[in-house]
Amino acid sequence: MKFIIQKEHLVQSVQDVMKAITSRTTIPILTGIKIVATEEGVTLTGSDSDISIESFIPKEENETVIVEIQRPGSIVLQAKFFSEIVKKLPTSQVELEVDNLQTVIRSGKSEFNLNGLDSEEYPHLPQISEENIFKIPTDLLKNIIKQTVFAVSTSETRPVLTGVNWKIENDDLICIATDSHRLALRKAKIDANTEQAFNIVIPGKSLNELNRILDDHNEPVEIVVTENQILFKAKHILFFSRLLEGNYPDTNRLIPTESKTEIVVNAKEFLQAIDRASLLAREGRNNVVKFSTIGQDVIEISSFTPEIGKVVEELVSESIHGEELKISFSAKYMMDALKALEGTEVKINFTGAMRPFVINPLNDDSILQLILPVRTY
């Protein structure tokens, strides 16, 4: 194998596939990057057997030559060393030549020799039949991930809760994440060519890595679902992830349908006030802050830690309807929820001091955050 490639394209592809590689794998060859050169271009692959990422560098793009293939072939190189070498090469062109698993990397007056591994021993990527396929614009997909994935559980006691539940029903994609103390839900209309509804759980880790790779644009990402794998196809990138096994809990019954107190507040002002109150709550258990309605359209946010001190702040809301309220909740959960919501004003519906409450952007029901209160009163 021998080719000459533009360094910036190689560096970008290496960075993308490195997101799937871990040093903790039980399969030694998966600590490497598989490199395949064909007449069409160069393909790099990284995998940890849960996530697999394939990045393709075409021979040319927009009439600019990116790769000059002199001899097709393939090799697996140690990811840790190859990624560091590529980043630090001195010139904008890189020559890579392989002979009997010995790999020479040249750039300017710099030359590295690396021992490679036989690419035939590298596990094959899953073969996915493209029956269940739908498309989502990239910017919408990134938003959906950002607005849900933070609420997955970090505890392995219930593995299914470490993922985000995706359901398709009648061209509606419904994404839900919960760690049993809070819940994030996002709905979106999509172009689903799939006849059958499906209900899958995608690991939160996979979605976080996918989000880091996707560019900010509105070109569609093709998504293919099978029984135990999901494939995201973006420009020059294939991202495979295994799905989590097990039934995701029915969260519909957790979301209250009635409200005893409804409050509308400016999202930014409310977030900043919660942030300030949490400064003295950090040492307390789970950053608990107290929230109460006082008088006409005024709310009070406070926190008290005996060893440190207390903070009290009043905030004028846009409106308050319903019963008076005193409630306590995790400042971190509230700040995460507010950061995920879009819009300048949010509506919070409470059904009592010890019942879960719901936060939406004003006039937008496609996104919802739910938080369980903490008993302090």
Side-chain angles (χ1 to χ4, degrees):
M1 177 170 84
K2 187 176 181 184
F3 60 83
I4 296 167
I5 189 166
Q6 296 293 333
K7 178 184 160 183
E8 61 174 315
H9 289 273
L10 182 58
V11 169
Q12 184 58 57
S13 269
V14 168
Q15 279 176 348
D16 285 347
V17 301
M18 282 294 284
K19 290 183 171 63
I21 295 171
T22 169
S23 56
R24 294 192 304 275
T25 178
T26 52
I27 308 166
I29 201 162
L30 291 185
T31 59
I33 291 177
K34 181 179 171 187
I35 303 166
V36 180
T38 62
E39 297 300 335
E40 285 80 45
V42 174
T43 303
L44 275 65
T45 307
S47 176
D48 67 357
S49 66
D50 284 342
I51 299 174
S52 302
I53 300 171
E54 187 176 289
S55 175
F56 177 66
I57 306 167
K59 208 157 70 168
E60 56 180 66
E61 199 170 51
N62 303 332
E63 297 180 8
T64 306
V65 175
I66 299 169
V67 191
E68 189 187 316
I69 308 285
Q70 294 174 357
R71 198 167 66 240
S74 60
I75 192 75
V76 176
L77 296 177
Q78 277 298 320
K80 182 180 157 191
F81 298 109
F82 182 60
S83 63
E84 286 300 318
I85 289 167
V86 167
K87 254 188 292 189
K88 293 176 179 175
L89 290 173
T91 66
S92 61
Q93 276 202 330
V94 180
E95 182 185 313
L96 199 137
E97 185 174 5
V98 177
D99 207 357
N100 288 335
L101 301 184
Q102 288 301 308
T103 306
V104 182
I105 303 161
R106 301 184 187 93
S107 177
K109 293 195 170 9
S110 182
E111 182 174 304
F112 287 85
N113 284 269
L114 277 184
N115 300 328
L117 297 164
D118 185 354
S119 64
E120 289 301 311
E121 293 174 18
Y122 196 88
H124 291 290
L125 290 186
Q127 292 301 307
I128 288 187
S129 68
E130 307 199 353
E131 288 164 15
N132 276 344
I133 188 164
F134 61 98
K135 294 180 182 176
I136 302 182
T138 306
D139 47 3
L140 174 60
L141 176 58
K142 283 178 76 78
N143 263 348
I144 287 170
I145 294 171
K146 191 183 83 182
Q147 289 163 346
T148 52
V149 76
F150 67 89
V152 300
S153 173
T154 52
S155 161
E156 289 293 335
T157 49
R158 290 183 72 189
V160 77
L161 294 186
T162 62
V164 182
N165 183 210
W166 280 31
K167 292 186 285 197
I168 282 195
E169 295 166 3
N170 314 324
D171 285 351
D172 271 334
L173 173 65
I174 303 158
C175 303
I176 297 167
T178 182
D179 61 5
S180 71
H181 299 290
R182 55 172 166 181
L183 178 145
L185 179 148
R186 176 73 157 87
K187 290 182 188 171
K189 283 269 176 229
I190 55 153
D191 169 19
N193 294 333
T194 166
E195 287 300 304
Q196 64 195 87
F198 65 73
N199 187 337
I200 57 173
V201 186
I202 309 170
K205 175 178 173 256
S206 301
L207 291 171
N208 275 323
E209 296 301 353
L210 175 66
N211 215 15
R212 289 190 186 109
I213 290 176
L214 293 173
D215 294 328
D216 284 311
H217 54 67
N218 59 1
E219 288 186 14
V221 174
E222 283 191 0
I223 300 172
V224 190
V225 179
T226 68
E227 199 175 323
N228 55 7
Q229 289 275 342
I230 185 163
L231 166 61
F232 297 87
K233 299 167 79 171
K235 187 185 178 191
H236 302 326
I237 288 271
L238 298 181
F239 185 104
F240 297 82
S241 170
R242 74 179 176 93
L243 297 174
L244 291 175
E245 292 175 7
N247 292 324
Y248 203 80
D250 177 15
T251 53
N252 282 339
R253 53 196 177 74
L254 294 176
I255 300 167
T257 49
E258 54 182 34
S259 164
K260 291 182 179 171
T261 312
E262 182 185 289
I263 295 173
V264 176
V265 285
N266 178 293
K268 190 178 174 186
E269 287 175 7
F270 188 46
L271 174 62
Q272 289 169 345
I274 297 286
D275 196 8
R276 285 189 289 272
S278 76
L279 291 173
L280 299 191
R282 293 244 162 94
E283 306 299 315
R285 61 195 174 94
N286 213 2
N287 286 10
V288 174
V289 298
K290 293 182 177 181
F291 173 100
S292 54
T293 53
I294 51 168
Q296 188 72 32
D297 294 344
V298 178
I299 52 180
E300 182 183 272
I301 298 152
S302 63
S303 78
F304 170 61
T305 309
E307 318 79 78
I308 304 171
K310 66 183 281 192
V311 52
V312 179
E313 179 167 345
E314 287 184 6
L315 187 67
V316 177
S317 65
E318 309 288 322
S319 69
I320 298 176
H321 296 293
E323 300 175 3
E324 281 189 9
L325 177 80
K326 282 186 177 183
I327 196 166
S328 303
F329 49 77
S330 157
K332 180 187 183 306
Y333 289 176
M334 179 59 89
M335 290 193 289
D336 286 347
L338 292 168
K339 285 172 190 166
L341 296 175
E342 292 171 337
T344 52
E345 292 178 331
V346 293
K347 178 178 71 179
I348 313 173
N349 282 304
F350 298 93
T351 51
M354 285 317 298
R355 304 268 303 141
F357 58 91
V358 174
I359 314 157
N360 302 86
L362 200 58
N363 307 322
D364 180 3
D365 291 333
S366 70
I367 176 167
L368 169 152
Q369 301 288 330
L370 175 143
I371 298 174
L372 266 70
V374 177
R375 187 183 295 279
T376 57
Y377 287 104

